[in-house]
Amino acid sequence: YSLSAAVNLAVLHYDRGERDRAMKEFDRFIDVYNRSAGQSLTSDELVAVATAVEYLGANDPQLFKDALKAFDRAIERDPSNADAKVKLGELFLSKYNFDDAQKTFDEVLQVNPTDPRALLGAARRLENDGQAGGDSLLRAALNVNPDYVEARTLHAEMLLSLEEYAGAQADLDRALKVNPTAERALAVSAAVKYLTHDQAAYEALRQRALAMNPNDPDLYTTLA
């Protein structure tokens, strides 16, 4: 089956806590890339390779440079590939390269001002950079897709920081209705229950998150 399907399956295994299995699946993408030297791969296939290499970068940070090159090559091959640009922006964001992240998201939004993933990326950039305005970008993303799990979760985090617990929980309930296994939404929801002293609900969410991924580091870092 396609490289895009293969990388999505590997990401699923990774998110479920099957990290060793996922890393072996990601590792195969390096062989795919090396066999063709990237020449025969389509833009979408290069995005799949870049995504796999980015995950492998958790064990070898030097590989982030290779992921960057693969994303750049995917965009060269198809300058209209918004998925490649958004994922490149997300990579920049994860490395705290806020300027390049914003430029990349802006490229997508200039073509499609309502691209929800680019709007979310730009909102995250503002939040991570300590700037205002992320909430309006999130509202724009949610106007396009009211069930966008990642946008609902980030909006809940914003409300949580303002101690608006009921609003945050409403966002999280909606997110978890769409995707009951969303790790970040589970972690933030557990944090809401912890802060509102609902110990039974907190413990239930904690167990639910750990049952899905026993090695979930995000749960405790979010709670902290």
Side-chain angles (χ1 to χ4, degrees), residues 12 67 71 117 146 211:
L12 180 64
F71 278 127
R117 282 182 60 200

Side-chain angles (χ1 to χ4, degrees), residues 68-172:
L68 179 63
K69 289 176 186 174
F71 278 127
D72 282 340
R73 185 164 287 185
I75 294 166
E76 286 173 12
R77 197 141 295 176
D78 179 7
S80 68
N81 191 336
D83 181 51
K85 291 178 181 178
V86 169
K87 287 180 177 174
L88 175 60
E90 291 168 347
L91 175 59
F92 283 135
L93 200 55
S94 73
K95 299 289 111 186
Y96 302 100
N97 184 342
F98 297 137
D99 287 344
D100 284 335
Q102 189 62 55
K103 287 175 189 172
T104 311
F105 295 135
D106 283 345
E107 281 184 31
V108 178
L109 293 170
Q110 283 167 8
V111 176
N112 179 8
T114 60
D115 186 297
R117 282 182 60 200
L119 287 166
L120 173 62
R124 279 185 173 144
R125 199 282 299 172
L126 288 171
E127 279 291 293
N128 292 355
D129 213 4
Q131 297 183 19
D135 54 342
S136 62
L137 293 173
L138 277 183
R139 283 196 295 272
L142 289 167
N143 283 337
V144 178
N145 180 4
D147 291 327
Y148 190 4
V149 171
E150 289 81 1
R152 284 276 166 208
T153 304
L154 181 57
H155 192 250
E157 291 180 64
M158 289 180 178
L159 293 176
L160 186 57
S161 70
L162 300 172
E163 299 185 8
E164 295 182 20
Y165 300 123
Q169 192 59 62
D171 272 329
L172 294 163

Side-chain angles (χ1 to χ4, degrees), residues 153 156-157 160 168-169 172-173 176 182-196 198 201-202 205-206 208 219 222-223:
T153 304
E157 291 180 64
L160 186 57
Q169 192 59 62
L172 294 163
D173 288 345
L176 289 167
E183 280 189 9
R184 186 71 182 171
L186 283 169
V188 178
S189 189
V192 172
K193 298 305 183 188
Y194 184 85
L195 290 168
T196 54
D198 188 342
Y202 159 72
L205 283 163
R206 190 180 75 87
R208 183 172 155 190
L219 175 65
T222 301
L223 288 167

